[in-house]
């Protein structure tokens, strides 16, 4: 507890800017670069943006793949500041635990609600970003009171046991029913050898969900997730949050900016080397969709590096005015998350009703998604800016 006995530190602007950048990438899905790329098949520029706005099919990473780990990582980064604030208000451990469990439950339920918005009944699914964070948050909070040695040890144990469980789960046999997986035996992204233990919808997490998700009322029995996502990914996602917790403690107690930048960059490099070695050796592939241990380390490397970049640009170089649009989003990230999942179609339909059915054709058919998407983004940002000026923040 001694790390949290000092007065609550001031808000670190770079955290809000980094979080705002991540949420902007998520909100910018309304630009639908894939549609533009289809309209201009010869353009490498639109093909590049399309790739960066899409999840890779299995092994690998795009910019879009870094949204969820960054958001999870920043939950960990913010925790030491949150705990220090609670201690400065003389909150007891029991009060803090009640608030933690409340937050965890709200995150899980909010994730389920957002995934059920266009369904005929509640869609009990637990692979949503908010749900994954909510499932692991109480454990993260408990680790917030521990030493860094315990936190690093917890990370190592979680990733090792999670990887071991996958490795011990049997590979598909000669009579395996591939129709239950949504892919085929010759799917181009299937891995060979030992790495096959982490193939799409033939792994431990897929088997768990075929039991667990069918415990809930459903329109039809659950067989597989089309993207390969799974409930059990919350376990290695907890690993990502632990990395953020460690980074947050460094950020809060750094003796100097130079020391902090150096430590963040070195940690990033180490995580990159270890994760790439695991991937290239075939021991463990870098797969975001099932959050392999190698992915936890690889995406964690990017998170440490991005935190260092934002800290350098925003807090050290004092470029807060330049990053203000992102700061507005980052200070109210839950509101941004909800807006991005709820009102985009409402805004689009309102323009079609009150302005023109073809308002987005001003620059032609090929760029129509950029027009509608830009308008949606501007209105969502304006709402967040209004909330920012009125100091209306959604706190969970």
């Amino acid at each position: 507890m001694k790390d949290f006995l000092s007065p609550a530190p001031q808000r670190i602007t770079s955290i809000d800017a980094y979080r705002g950048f991540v949420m902007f990438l998520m909100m910018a899905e309304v630009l639908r670069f894939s549609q533009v790329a289809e309209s201009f098949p010869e353009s490498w520029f639109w093909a590049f943006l399309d790739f960066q706005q899409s999840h890779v099919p299995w092994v690998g990473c795009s910019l879009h793949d870094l949204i969820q780990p960054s958001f999870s990582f920043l939950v960990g980064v913010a925790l030491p500041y949150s705990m220090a604030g609670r201690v400065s208000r003389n909150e007891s451990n029991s009060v803090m635990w009640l608030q933690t469990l409340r937050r965890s439950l709200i995150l899980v339920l909010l994730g389920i609600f957002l995934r059920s918005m266009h369904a005929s009944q509640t869609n009990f699914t637990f692979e949503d970003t908010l749900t994954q964070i909510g499932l692991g948050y109480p454990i993260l909070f408990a680790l917030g009171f521990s030493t860094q040695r315990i936190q690093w040890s917890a990370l190592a144990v979680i990733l090792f046991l999670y990887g071991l469980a996958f490795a011990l789960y049997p590979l598909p046999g000669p009579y395996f029913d591939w129709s239950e997986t949504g892919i085929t035996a010759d799917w181009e992204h299937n891995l060979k050898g030992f790495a096959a233990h982490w193939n799409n919808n033939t792994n431990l997490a897929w088997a768990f969900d075929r039991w667990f998700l069918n415990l809930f009322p459903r329109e039809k029995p659950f067989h597989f997730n089309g993207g390969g996502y799974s409930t059990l990914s919350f376990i290695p996602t907890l690993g990502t949050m632990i990395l953020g917790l460690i980074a947050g403690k460094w950020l809060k107690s750094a003796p100097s900016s130079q020391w902090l930048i150096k430590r963040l960059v070195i940690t990033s490099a180490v995580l990159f080397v270890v994760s790439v070695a695991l991937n290239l050796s075939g021991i463990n592939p870098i797969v975001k969709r099932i959050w392999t241990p190698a992915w936890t380390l690889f995406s964690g490397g990017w998170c440490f590096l991005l935190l260092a970049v934002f800290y350098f640009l925003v807090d050290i170089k004092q470029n807060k005015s330049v990053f203000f649009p992102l700061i507005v989003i980052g200070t109210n990230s839950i509101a941004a998350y909800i807006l991005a999942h709820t009102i985009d179609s409402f805004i689009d339909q309102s323009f079609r009703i009150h302005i023109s059915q073809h308002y987005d054709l001003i620059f032609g058919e090929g760029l129509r998604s950029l027009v509608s998407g830009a308008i949606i983004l501007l209105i969502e940002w304006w709402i967040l800016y209004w909330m920012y000026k009125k100091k209306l923040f959604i706190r969970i």
Side-chain angles (χ1 to χ4, degrees), residues 139 143 153-163 235-239 242 293:
I139 303 174
L143 287 171
S153 298
L155 173 67
V157 170
I158 287 170
L159 298 186
F160 175 76
L161 292 181
Y162 190 74
I235 298 173
T237 296
L238 172 60
I242 292 173

Side-chain angles (χ1 to χ4, degrees), residues 213-239:
L213 294 182
N214 284 311
L215 297 177
F216 299 90
R218 319 190 71 83
E219 292 184 42
K220 57 183 179 179
F222 175 85
H223 293 284
F224 59 86
N225 181 290
Y229 304 105
S230 66
T231 301
L232 287 183
S233 290
F234 87 89
I235 298 173
T237 296
L238 172 60

Side-chain angles (χ1 to χ4, degrees), residues 57-213:
W58 203 243
V59 176
C61 178
S62 68
L63 182 61
H64 204 64
D65 287 314
L66 293 176
I67 294 176
Q68 186 174 351
S70 291
F71 193 71
S72 304
F73 177 83
L74 288 168
V75 170
V77 172
L79 185 59
Y81 294 89
S82 173
M83 296 178 74
R86 293 179 182 185
V87 170
S88 69
R89 295 190 294 270
N90 296 316
E91 293 184 7
S92 64
N93 279 356
S94 58
V95 170
M96 287 193 285
W97 267 108
L98 285 174
Q99 291 177 337
T100 296
L101 295 175
R102 169 183 169 273
R103 184 182 193 190
S104 176
L105 180 61
I106 291 175
L107 286 170
V108 171
L109 295 178
L110 182 57
I112 293 173
F113 170 77
L114 292 174
R115 289 298 182 96
S116 303
M117 286 189 59
H118 304 292
S120 59
Q121 68 178 76
T122 304
N123 181 19
F124 289 100
T125 181
F126 300 88
E127 86 283 355
D128 178 80
T129 300
L130 299 183
T131 305
Q132 293 273 293
I133 293 172
L135 290 173
Y137 190 74
I139 303 174
L140 179 73
F141 181 76
L143 287 171
F145 292 100
S146 63
T147 64
Q148 286 191 33
R149 176 175 294 184
I150 293 176
Q151 291 163 4
W152 281 112
S153 298
L155 173 67
V157 170
I158 287 170
L159 298 186
F160 175 76
L161 292 181
Y162 190 74
L164 179 63
F166 269 69
L168 294 177
Y169 186 77
L171 295 174
Y175 303 106
F176 182 77
D177 186 1
W178 287 90
S179 65
E180 294 290 305
T181 67
I183 59 171
T184 59
D186 58 352
W187 187 47
E188 61 179 321
H189 300 290
N190 278 341
L191 300 168
K192 307 297 182 183
F194 183 72
H197 287 282
W198 288 272
N199 274 338
N200 189 2
N201 288 335
T202 62
N203 55 64
L204 173 69
W206 163 76
F208 175 83
D209 273 348
R210 283 170 60 86
W211 164 75
F212 178 66
L213 294 182

Side-chain angles (χ1 to χ4, degrees), residues 346-364:
F346 170 76
I347 295 172
D348 180 57
Q349 289 302 313
S350 296
F351 268 75
R352 296 193 188 281
I353 293 171
H354 303 294
I355 306 299
S356 169
Q357 279 288 331
H358 309 291
Y359 79 94
D360 52 352
L361 288 175
I362 185 172
F363 296 120

